[in-house]
Amino acid sequence: MNQQADSIFCYHLHLTDKYTADPIQWTEDTVNTISKHAAFLDDLGKAGILIFAGRTLFQPGNNRLFGIALIKAKDIETAIQIMEKDPAVVAGIQQMDIYPFSLAIKHFDNAKWKGESYRRLHITKSLLFDSIYLTAR
């Protein structure tokens, strides 16, 4: 998956209506797919494609819940092809939009907590679904 890429794209994700309406009805398969989604993004990072990913800290049912990721790809078609493989998108749990993106102001050194950089995707389980947090290694 490692590739020469010179463009950045913003991957915007939100739950489809079925999964927003009644999160208490999520099955174990749904939760497992969300875990696979996190692993997919982590693998993109290890391959040099993902710049960062995260989500708002709202629970399903709140319309302010969404996730974003910045990825590198040679063009928007390639970015779409990469992200269409996301297990949560394939399963119809999340819907994606991809936008060309420009990093205008960069302060990546500010992404530190207690002196450590955020480098690793860590998954912790909440009552309703898996929450994805960036944690220091």
Side-chain angles (χ1 to χ4, degrees), residues 1-9 44 47-51 70-76 78-79 82 101:
M1 254 186 168
N2 211 353
Q3 61 188 20
Q4 278 293 70
D6 57 347
S7 296
I8 298 173
F9 297 90
L44 289 179
I49 296 169
L50 178 78
I51 299 169
L70 291 188
I71 63 169
K72 298 185 296 183
K74 67 180 181 178
D75 53 40
I76 196 159
T78 303
I82 292 167
F101 194 81

Side-chain angles (χ1 to χ4, degrees), residues 20-129:
T20 300
D22 193 5
I24 203 74
Q25 299 299 320
W26 283 27
T27 66
E28 188 174 328
D29 285 342
T30 304
V31 173
N32 288 338
T33 300
I34 295 297
S35 294
K36 290 176 186 174
H37 155 75
F40 170 79
L41 292 174
D42 193 39
D43 288 345
L44 289 179
K46 291 173 184 172
I49 296 169
L50 178 78
I51 299 169
F52 76 83
R55 71 173 194 86
T56 59
L57 296 178
F58 297 100
Q59 295 299 315
N62 188 316
N63 65 359
R64 296 181 293 169
L65 171 62
F66 65 90
I68 60 168
L70 291 188
I71 63 169
K72 298 185 296 183
K74 67 180 181 178
D75 53 40
I76 196 159
E77 291 81 14
T78 303
I80 291 168
Q81 289 171 359
I82 292 167
M83 300 318 288
E84 281 178 336
K85 296 175 186 171
D86 184 324
V89 173
V90 172
I93 297 169
Q94 294 180 330
Q95 180 178 326
M96 70 165 192
D97 299 301
I98 294 185
Y99 306 99
F101 194 81
S102 174
L103 288 172
I105 300 171
K106 305 167 193 155
H107 292 284
F108 292 117
D109 288 342
N110 290 340
K112 294 182 180 182
W113 183 256
K114 296 184 182 179
E116 295 197 45
S117 296
Y118 288 99
R119 297 181 205 136
R120 186 172 161 202
L121 198 61
H122 178 71
I123 305 168
T124 56
K125 214 164 216 172
S126 71
L127 290 176
L128 296 176
F129 77 98

